[in-house]
Amino acid sequence: MPRSLRVLITYILLILLALFMMGPFLWLLSVSLMPGRNVFANPPAILPTFIALDNYVQVWNFMNFPRYILNTVIITLLGVVFNIILSCLTAYPLAAFRFKGRSLVFTLLISTMIIPSATAMIVHYLTIQAFQLGNTFFGVVLPAAVSVFNIFLMRQTFLGIPADIRDSGKMDGASELRIFIQLVMPLVKPGIAVIGLLEVMAFWNNFLWPIVVLDDPEKYPLAAALTYLNGQFSYNFGWIAAGTMISVLPIILVFLFTQKYYMEGIAGAIKG
Amino acid sequence: MYKGFRSESFSAWAFMAPGLLFLAVFTFWPIIYGIPLSLTDYSVITETNVVGLDNFTRAFQDHNFLISLWNSLVYVLIVPVIQIISILMAILVNSRIPGVKMFRAAYYIPVVTSMVAVALIWSWLLGNNGVVNYLLLKAGIISEQVSWLSTNSTALYVLMFITMWKGLGYYMMLYLAGLQGIPADLYEAARVDGAGPLRLIVHVTLPLLRPHILFCTLISVMGAIRVFDEVYILTKGGPGTSTLTSSVYIFQKGLEQFNFGYASALGLIVSVMVGALSVLVFRLNRKGGVNSY
């Protein structure tokens, strides 16, 4: 087969797949831009015949979006900061130190990956209530404040740092904590970016746990608020479509601007 | 020297203490506490009694629980087939042609968006008068409208489709990483021996992707067992019990009906099954190359 024909077939397949993967989002965008149109009209409206932002304006005025966006941002920031600090602190000794119990910690961590606990959410609920953190953002964030996956990812990153760095710090009489903060951490910024991005996505999109923990819908993050909107106005498709676009656009933009790190990180997670 | 070793040990534990504390409370404790909880009839409403193994005997006579296990099993058997499409996608986006990175990003967007949004979009597309029915009718594939999500025989498969559609990009990236680790001279050598594109895939690409295939199978099996969001948002287990998966059933018993004791027992049963399953997959995996885990 000549090369040019092969390239042509590749492009055709790539475009068909792109339609399959992106089509539903483009259609959502199209519905959100057509006020007063029913998505179940016959034949269904696929391409916008006219474009107006009425749905966006109305749903923005109806729902307290600034509030939900602020909630989401707070939850996401808390979650990301906890995850970065805790997984770096935990992973660093596992990569750089030699100490008794190292393999014990490792085995414990791995065992949690093998045994997924279906009861976890129920016990988390009881724990959060016992700590009196029900209906708080901390209650939303703490159960996912550190993950074994992130610890492994950071451990891989720390393993790539030469031991000389720590030794030279010690020669100068720096404490372990100072070596960690001033010498080691600046070298693992790419790794931190990756777990940061992974957690931004995870916390931004989380909807079920926030609903369980938060009694007050005013505290809901966007994804949870969206299920609420859908329950209230299941007939007003344009509004829900616009609301959905508002909730997914930030995360898609974050992804598009950071995809280089993100995809390398995902790949690095398995390459190790 | 010995003193140095001891202080290093001290620093190590000091560094790990905060992280391990969180893991203890939110990862290890649920596993441990689920066991005593499963032996009680703990619920918020009534007094708590120790009921021994009653929850477990009840579970195996609970028709809905058995159905939920069966549905989860069907999910686990079918969803990992996703790997085939993802591998083909990875091969496509591994071509060295202009604009290919744009396609990679496009395929990944369903992965980063929330399941709430994805489920909403598909519920509309799949509605009676929705776009899917319209297109299939036009193409002559179906002869009358199908209520995809409220028909017993289709609902579970439609949910599987949505799970797969959202996950394709993720697995594609993992396979792409694998593909980029395959040395180009292996393909050259095979081409010199007269292998065509198909034989290159079967005899070079797939064998060398084996560790990745096993790893992806493992995580997709785990994902299929835990599947919750799409079911909860779209069907809540219905119509009837046709899409009731085990995590949805445990959630209903626990956090909707507050039967914490019974739900813990169900969770424990599922965890033991999952544990056995993952040991099996890990055994298979040992020959592979995912040694970093």
Side-chain angles (χ1 to χ4, degrees), chain B residues 24-47:
Chain B
V25 174
F26 292 109
T27 306
F28 298 121
W29 177 241
I31 299 173
I32 299 163
Y33 187 57
I35 298 171
L37 205 56
S38 70
L39 302 173
T40 69
D41 62 358
Y42 181 57
S43 73
V44 188
I45 311 123
T46 56
E47 213 175 301

Side-chain angles (χ1 to χ4, degrees), chain A residues 11 14 17 20-22 40 43 89-90 93 98 112 114 116 119 122 124 166 201 205 208 237 262-263 267 269-270, chain B residues 8 15 19 26 28 98 106-108 112 114 117 124 129 134 165 173 177 215 226 228 260 263-264 271 274 278 293:
Chain A
Y11 272 120
L14 282 171
L17 263 173
F20 180 61
M21 302 305 289
M22 290 304 297
F40 295 144
L89 281 174
T90 316
R98 311 175 101 253
T112 66
I114 300 176
T119 48
I122 291 165
H124 286 167
R166 207 170 131 231
M201 317 250 164
N205 290 332
L208 181 72
F237 305 104
Y262 185 76
M263 290 187 167
I270 182 173
Chain B
E8 178 153 308
F15 270 102
F26 292 109
F28 298 121
Y107 301 164
Y108 204 82
V112 303
S114 67
W124 289 349
N129 287 312
Y134 176 76
W165 179 83
M173 283 310 301
F215 178 78
R226 290 178 182 182
F228 181 89
F260 293 124
S264 296
S271 296
V274 172
S278 26
Y293 288 93

